[in-house]
Amino acid sequence: MYVILVYDIGEKRVGKMLKLCRQYLNWIQNSVFEGAITEVKLKELQFKAREIMDIETDSLIVFKSRNEKWLEKEVVGNEKNDLDNFL
Amino acid sequence: MYVILVYDIGEKRVGKMLKLCRQYLNWIQNSVFEGAITEVKLKELQFKAREIMDIETDSLIVFKSRNEKWLEKEVVGNEKNDLDNFL
């Protein structure tokens, strides 16, 4: 499964959320991640994210696609390096 | 065609960018939009976005899917109302 994950999180919680998401996916923009992930790992990520989030104000959206080929990506401007994930 | 658009834009330019994107797509999170759009309209949106952006520091990513059914969306927390688009 291939996913795009975006969050909108209160400033105080952003650091934790970023750290969590980078354990599972590639960071491609400020609050945007993408990558291949299993259903089980995604559930784990969402569970941990819920523990960080304030459900009243924060939001986390995951777009799931069964096949990466079904999604084409176009970037204008400055894309974060995929290597981010390994640093 | 169905797209997800995300941007990371300097604070001074955010207002203009938000206004532009809302003319074409549904606003679903802070800097995230989705919706059906034609190839021509998307090119127009990207052209106008480039005029607003600072290409050195800002970024705009569009994920394109030929079919909305190929994307499944899961939201945790607070989703912006689709009606936003009509206000």
Side-chain angles (χ1 to χ4, degrees):
Chain A
M1 186 170 62
Y2 201 81
V3 303
I4 301 160
L5 179 152
V6 291
Y7 57 65
D8 184 12
I9 300 274
E11 212 180 321
K12 285 182 189 168
R13 298 175 290 279
V14 160
K16 272 192 181 178
M17 196 64 162
L18 175 63
K19 198 175 159 192
L20 172 67
C21 293
R22 287 179 70 176
Q23 288 167 20
Y24 293 84
L25 296 166
N26 300 310
W27 190 24
I28 55 166
Q29 202 191 66
N30 192 21
S31 57
V32 185
F33 299 78
E34 67 171 348
I37 190 169
T38 64
E39 190 72 52
V40 172
K41 281 284 171 190
L42 179 62
K43 287 273 170 267
E44 187 181 290
L45 169 55
Q46 285 168 319
F47 179 82
K48 289 181 184 172
R50 255 177 244 259
E51 290 182 331
I52 295 169
M53 291 168 69
D54 175 342
I55 296 292
E56 298 285 306
T57 59
D58 300 342
S59 84
L60 174 77
I61 305 177
V62 179
F63 296 93
K64 296 156 65 167
S65 176
R66 259 181 295 160
N67 195 330
E68 184 179 352
K69 288 179 193 159
W70 292 349
L71 278 176
E72 190 189 333
K73 184 170 64 165
E74 282 181 5
V75 180
V76 177
N78 187 22
E79 188 180 24
K80 287 194 190 296
N81 197 310
D82 273 351
L83 288 173
D84 262 357
N85 214 37
F86 303 104
L87 299 179
Chain B
M1 187 171 61
Y2 200 81
V3 304
I4 300 161
L5 180 152
V6 292
Y7 57 65
D8 183 12
I9 301 275
E11 211 180 322
K12 285 181 187 167
R13 299 176 290 279
V14 160
K16 273 192 181 178
M17 196 66 163
L18 175 64
K19 199 176 160 190
L20 172 68
C21 293
R22 287 178 71 174
Q23 287 167 21
Y24 293 84
L25 296 165
N26 299 310
W27 188 26
I28 55 165
Q29 203 190 66
N30 191 22
S31 56
V32 185
F33 298 77
E34 67 170 349
I37 190 168
T38 64
E39 191 71 51
V40 172
K41 281 285 171 190
L42 179 61
K43 287 274 171 264
E44 188 181 291
L45 169 54
Q46 285 168 318
F47 179 82
K48 290 182 183 172
R50 256 177 244 257
E51 290 182 329
I52 295 169
M53 291 168 70
D54 175 342
I55 296 293
E56 298 285 306
T57 58
D58 299 343
S59 84
L60 174 76
I61 304 177
V62 178
F63 296 93
K64 297 155 64 166
S65 177
R66 259 181 296 160
N67 194 330
E68 184 180 351
K69 287 177 191 160
W70 292 350
L71 278 176
E72 189 190 332
K73 184 170 64 165
E74 282 181 6
V75 181
V76 177
N78 187 23
E79 189 180 23
K80 287 194 190 295
N81 199 310
D82 273 353
L83 288 174
D84 262 356
N85 215 38
F86 303 104
L87 297 180

